Amino acid sequence: MLLTLVLPGAGLRAQEKPSSDFGRVQRSTRSCERNLAEASPGPCSELRFEQNQQGLLTIRFVGPGSGEITTNLVTFVGVVKGGAAGMRCSEGRCRLEGPLSTEISSVSELSYDQRGLPTSLPNAWPADGTCRVEKNDVRCEARALTGERWAASAEL
């Protein structure tokens, strides 16, 4: 038995091309530091830039955890200011179009154990702030409505 699901508006017309405005870039850092709320700054070793649609940019600061936690991610999500592209992507591979600045809408944290499994549900907060991406420098600062502050910076 063959079952076909048709969603309204989901198909592409013959002359339309699928969107390729999504993908990611992963970079090692020369120096990197991030913190969540009132915690002491911690190191990070890599940055991940992800774009699921043009103009919406996710910046993840990846670093070591403590104890049983082997990886910790601090994530800033925002809209690229000025209608800039953020990243140019083709088949999931992207390159940054900078310098650029984003308006942060949320910050989150997630930790993984040695098997790559999350150690808890992610913590996420609506936030206001900015991320600036220059040629070899990334700086993010955000503040939640409840007053918590986050900062992260990296040199690529």
Side-chain angles (χ1 to χ4, degrees):
M1 173 187 212
L2 177 63
L3 180 64
T4 304
L5 177 64
V6 178
L7 299 173
L12 293 175
R13 296 186 180 137
Q15 69 273 20
E16 291 181 48
K17 291 183 179 180
S19 174
S20 62
D21 293 333
F22 63 91
R24 76 164 112 176
V25 171
Q26 201 166 307
R27 298 255 176 96
S28 295
T29 60
R30 284 189 218 161
S31 66
C32 186
E33 191 173 82
R34 82 270 197 284
N35 79 321
L36 258 169
E38 301 301 319
S40 298
C44 42
S45 56
E46 148 184 329
L47 283 179
R48 294 179 189 162
F49 300 89
E50 293 181 17
Q51 181 172 278
N52 293 326
Q53 67 183 45
Q54 187 171 353
L56 182 64
L57 192 62
T58 299
I59 302 173
R60 288 191 169 91
F61 291 79
V62 182
S66 61
E68 296 290 317
I69 299 170
T70 59
T71 305
N72 178 268
L73 302 164
V74 176
T75 304
F76 295 83
V77 178
V79 175
V80 179
K81 291 182 182 178
M87 295 196 300
R88 296 276 182 221
C89 302
S90 176
E91 296 181 12
R93 293 187 183 136
C94 302
R95 65 182 165 84
L96 284 166
E97 295 287 312
L100 62 89
S101 182
T102 65
E103 270 185 48
I104 301 301
S105 58
S106 70
V107 177
S108 65
E109 178 189 32
L110 182 58
S111 295
Y112 294 92
D113 65 15
Q114 64 275 9
R115 296 175 297 166
L117 300 173
T119 57
S120 66
L121 292 174
N123 292 314
W125 302 266
D128 288 321
T130 60
C131 282
R132 296 262 325 134
V133 179
E134 302 289 336
K135 184 176 181 179
N136 292 314
D137 192 45
V138 179
R139 296 191 185 285
C140 296
E141 293 182 359
R143 182 175 179 229
L145 300 173
T146 54
E148 294 94 350
R149 292 181 180 270
W150 302 274
S153 62
E155 184 181 332
L156 304 174

